[in-house]
Amino acid sequence: MGDQLQQYQTAQKWYAKPQVLVPAAALGYLLLNKKTRKKTLLYGGGIIFAYGVSTYFSSDDGMTKGFGKLFMTAGGGVLALGYFSKSK
């Protein structure tokens, strides 16, 4: 029981830190604001896609290439959401 309590306290401390809450709140504001949603999705998707491309082409092993493909797919999805978003 003591181990579970320790794990819960560790997990609780992880997301209650300002280093996590402040960027999450800023990103949430940018995504909920209709004027900034499209640009946020487009720029964020571009950054995620670029990271995936750089990871894919700079790696030699299969697992890291797989992570690169994963980030390219996720970035492409976010880019598509931004492109088809109806905000200004």
Side-chain angles (χ1 to χ4, degrees), residues 1 3 5 7 10 12 16 23 27 29 34-35 38-39 41 56 60 66 73 82 84:
M1 187 68 180
D3 290 337
L5 181 61
Q7 288 175 352
T10 304
Q12 188 180 21
L27 183 61
Y29 171 77
K34 289 184 180 180
K35 292 182 181 178
K38 187 172 188 119
K39 286 184 180 179
L41 288 171
Y56 181 78
D60 293 331
T73 305
F84 293 113

Side-chain angles (χ1 to χ4, degrees), residues 10-63:
T10 304
Q12 188 180 21
K13 291 178 187 174
W14 175 80
Y15 62 84
K17 292 184 178 180
Q19 297 94 321
V20 176
L21 290 177
V22 172
L27 183 61
Y29 171 77
L30 291 173
L31 289 174
L32 291 174
N33 189 349
K34 289 184 180 180
K35 292 182 181 178
T36 59
R37 182 180 303 143
K38 187 172 188 119
K39 286 184 180 179
T40 302
L41 288 171
L42 287 174
Y43 294 151
I47 291 168
I48 295 168
F49 185 80
Y51 178 75
V53 169
S54 69
T55 303
Y56 181 78
F57 286 112
S58 68
S59 65
D60 293 331
D61 61 335
M63 186 172 177

